[in-house]
Amino acid sequence: MELEMKAVISHLGQIRMSEVPRPELEDGFALVQTEYSAISPGTEVMMNGLYQANPIVLGYSAAGIVREVGKGMEHWRIGQRVACYGAPYAKHAEWLLMPKRLLVPVPDSVSPEEASTVGLGAIAVHALRQTSLQFGESLLLVGAGILGQLIAQIAKAAGYRVLLYDKMTERTAIAGELGIRHVAYTQEEVEAQVAEMTAGAGVDAAIVCAGGKTGELIDRALEWVRDRGKVLIVGDIKPDFSRDLMFAKEAQVLISRAGGPGRYDPVYEKDGIDYPAGYVRWTEGRNMAEYIRLIAEGDISVKPLIGAVFPVDRCADAYRRYEESPNSLLGALLAYPGAAGYKLAESEAVRQG
């Protein structure tokens, strides 16, 4: 009889918990019992909006406990906590079949709730690397969702001068409480602070983490960067921008894809063949490990970004809250029966409902 597990699926524009087949152990993989998984609201709401005719399991970032290991995975200890990233392996499901390059160990100083955001963290780290900033240079972040918040903290830890802009004052307030000195609520405030921070030269780079159906935010970012500055697109935004603005500054418009080199490469992800560090210094796996290190050493603070934890059975409530009240929810996790905090999440969800 085939074993089943709980998972979060999207089908015809509806998100719900469902029972799906549980994965079976394979050589080169570890079987992980999920404790928590982190919702990526932008990506997952976008995927749900495609109205998939066939059900798909959502999610790509989680943390859990290694329960079984296949051949070639003997260096992983049974009972060890790990952080997992990368669909279709990591997802919102009770059990994950993870290849060696897409899981990293979690030290005792990092909670499973924090570790479950590793996918978002790797994306944030890779986005920042794409700007090629150096110590002391300036960065403008447009959008203070959970991804923008993580990039801001990592950039601050790296010694960059950071300005975070978002129209949602609740979000910029959280950033301020977490040590981001420069925040702005309006475009006028952005212009004034950019001028003050850079003596009128413009920021070295801008990262657009917000979504949008037009390229207006990219145009604004092109206005705010310096001569030969960079604008990096991370959010789901239409890449429609002014050639004149780009040409006038000989600016670069770049895009960041997922968590770093190796993502979507089956040789790296499925077969587990690493890129030598001498040729590719920062792979998605090494970005994952670096994010966990930043949490463990106290360089970034993740817990204040987690606004709610929902039991996986109440996953539809989590997505509904993102849709109906985005101001009230920055980051959300799903808890699974294997998590120590599952019963608490269950009772909280009942109380909220």
Side-chain angles (χ1 to χ4, degrees), residues 32-165:
V32 176
Q33 184 179 15
T34 310
E35 295 177 287
Y36 297 93
S37 61
I39 294 175
S40 176
T43 299
E44 294 176 36
V45 170
M46 180 270 291
M47 290 293 294
N48 187 55
L50 298 178
Y51 282 74
Q52 303 278 350
N54 296 316
I56 60 168
V57 181
L58 295 174
Y60 59 74
S61 183
I65 305 296
V66 174
R67 295 304 184 194
E68 296 182 54
V69 295
K71 184 179 179 181
M73 296 290 285
E74 291 83 3
H75 58 290
W76 292 100
R77 176 173 49 84
I78 303 299
Q80 182 176 12
R81 176 168 288 126
V82 291
C84 310
Y85 165 52
Y89 307 103
K91 50 195 169 188
H92 298 312
E94 279 187 283
W95 292 89
L96 308 174
L97 186 64
M98 297 302 305
K100 66 174 67 175
R101 302 298 169 198
L102 298 184
L103 74 170
V104 295
V106 177
D108 292 340
S109 57
V110 177
S111 71
E113 293 92 334
E114 294 170 304
S116 72
T117 65
V118 68
L120 293 163
I123 291 169
V125 170
H126 179 59
L128 198 55
R129 295 196 195 286
Q130 290 294 82
T131 64
S132 300
L133 288 172
Q134 298 185 47
F135 174 78
E137 291 189 318
S138 53
L139 172 68
L140 167 64
L141 280 158
V142 181
I146 188 165
L147 191 56
Q149 299 273 357
L150 289 174
I151 296 174
Q153 287 197 55
I154 296 167
K156 180 177 179 291
Y160 308 145
R161 302 184 67 197
V162 183
L163 169 60
L164 185 62
Y165 163 53

Side-chain angles (χ1 to χ4, degrees), residues 5-21 44 47-48 52-59 91-93 312 315-316 319 334 336:
M5 64 176 180
K6 296 178 179 181
V8 178
I9 67 165
S10 169
H11 185 215
L12 297 175
Q14 299 295 318
I15 294 175
R16 68 178 189 275
M17 196 279 287
S18 183
E19 297 286 337
V20 302
E44 294 176 36
M47 290 293 294
N48 187 55
Q52 303 278 350
N54 296 316
I56 60 168
V57 181
L58 295 174
K91 50 195 169 188
H92 298 312
V312 65
C315 60
Y319 291 93
L334 299 177
Y336 298 79

Side-chain angles (χ1 to χ4, degrees), residues 272-290:
I273 298 176
D274 200 4
Y275 303 153
Y279 292 90
V280 182
R281 179 63 185 92
W282 294 108
T283 60
E284 62 176 325
R286 289 192 271 271
N287 283 338
M288 291 167 63
E290 183 64 8

